[in-house]
């Protein structure tokens, strides 16, 4: 039996995935989590083989969960299952150690097959997203530009953004200008939204 954990903050979606996987003869859902920061202890407690994680969760997002699993040296393999089918998320998830990335509208049989393949040591990525990711290329933003744009998403003034990321206002302005040039946008709000929509933040 493949021992699975399902982590998704939407109880209805989590329940549906659990029910669907429960119909498979070789898959057993042994744990569920509604928050990302609940995942690691459950993986250890239940000796989970494959963890299905959503991207956006409270506590810790799915990409950070993948990174934490890798850092902890756990044998669990992570499969990201999300509505956020954006090329930037695919690249970031794989770089964080995810073994697979599929979207939530994947047919049940394909999801179960993805679990089996990830468990067998394969890497599974939604075909359309993989192609889009190759076409779009790597995230052009530096780590600092990403930090500044994340802080700017709320529309906070430059002074607040600067305090949030522990940089001077002038440095923040420089990072924003650079990010706007790279995203071909004319305002910081546009740059932040553009980057978020592509999964770069």
């Amino acid at each position: 039996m493949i021992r699975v954990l399902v982590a998704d903050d939407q109880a209805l979606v989590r329940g549906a995935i659990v029910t669907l996987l429960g119909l498979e003869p070789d898959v057993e859902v042994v744990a569920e989590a509604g928050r990302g920061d609940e995942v690691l202890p459950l993986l250890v407690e239940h000796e989970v083989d494959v963890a299905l994680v959503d991207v956006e969760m409270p506590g810790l997002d799915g990409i950070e969960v993948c990174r934490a699993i890798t850092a902890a040296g756990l044998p669990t393999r992570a499969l990201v299952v999300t509505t956020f089918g954006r090329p930037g998320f695919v690249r970031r998830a794989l770089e964080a150690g995810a073994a697979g990335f599929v979207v939530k509208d994947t047919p049940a049989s394909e999801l179960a097959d993805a679990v089996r393949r990830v468990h067998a040591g394969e890497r599974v990525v939604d075909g359309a997203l993989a192609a889009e990711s190759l076409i779009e290329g790597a995230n052009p933003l530096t780590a600092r530009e990403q930090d500044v744009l994340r802080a700017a998403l709320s529309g906070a003034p430059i002074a607040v953004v600067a305090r949030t990321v522990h940089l001077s206002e002038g440095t923040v302005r420089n990072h924003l200008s650079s990010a706007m040039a790279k995203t071909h946008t004319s305002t910081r709000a546009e740059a932040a939204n553009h980057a978020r929509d592509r999964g770069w933040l």
Side-chain angles (χ1 to χ4, degrees):
M1 293 291 282
I2 303 171
R3 298 171 63 81
V4 170
L5 170 141
V6 178
D8 195 302
D9 62 328
Q10 294 180 307
L12 192 61
V13 173
R14 187 172 70 245
I17 294 172
V18 168
T19 300
L20 290 170
L21 291 177
L23 300 174
E24 301 296 324
D26 57 342
V27 176
E28 180 185 7
V29 178
V30 295
E32 296 180 44
R35 297 174 53 89
D37 51 7
E38 296 171 346
V39 173
L40 245 61
L42 292 171
L43 298 183
V44 175
E45 181 184 345
H46 296 281
E47 299 180 349
V48 173
D49 297 314
V50 178
L52 277 67
V53 296
D54 188 17
V55 170
E56 290 201 346
M57 293 186 290
L60 204 63
D61 71 43
I63 292 171
E64 289 305 315
V65 169
C66 293
R67 190 168 282 116
I69 291 170
T70 303
L74 296 177
T76 305
R77 290 176 58 80
L79 174 61
V80 176
V81 184
T82 183
T83 51
F84 299 99
R86 299 171 188 149
F89 280 133
V90 176
R91 190 178 294 273
R92 285 175 54 213
L94 296 179
E95 287 171 353
F101 194 106
V102 296
V103 289
K104 285 180 181 172
D105 61 2
T106 299
S109 60
E110 289 182 23
L111 179 60
D113 184 54
V115 168
R116 292 184 188 99
R117 289 171 59 196
V118 163
H119 181 249
E122 293 180 42
R123 182 167 273 190
V124 180
V125 179
D126 177 274
L129 283 175
E132 209 176 321
S133 184
L134 285 172
I135 291 165
E136 189 169 283
N139 182 348
L141 302 171
T142 66
R144 268 308 197 187
E145 287 165 358
Q146 291 172 52
D147 291 341
V148 169
L149 285 180
R150 271 190 214 98
L153 270 171
S154 65
I158 294 285
V160 174
V161 172
R163 282 198 300 274
T164 303
V165 296
H166 308 291
L167 294 171
S168 72
E169 291 183 32
T171 302
V172 165
R173 285 192 183 90
N174 289 340
H175 284 309
L176 287 171
S177 293
S178 175
M180 284 158 48
K182 290 176 180 178
T183 55
H184 309 289
T185 53
S186 53
T187 68
R188 60 192 173 115
E190 287 176 7
N193 288 325
H194 180 93
R196 181 196 59 200
D197 290 347
R198 276 154 186 76
W200 293 343
L201 302 183

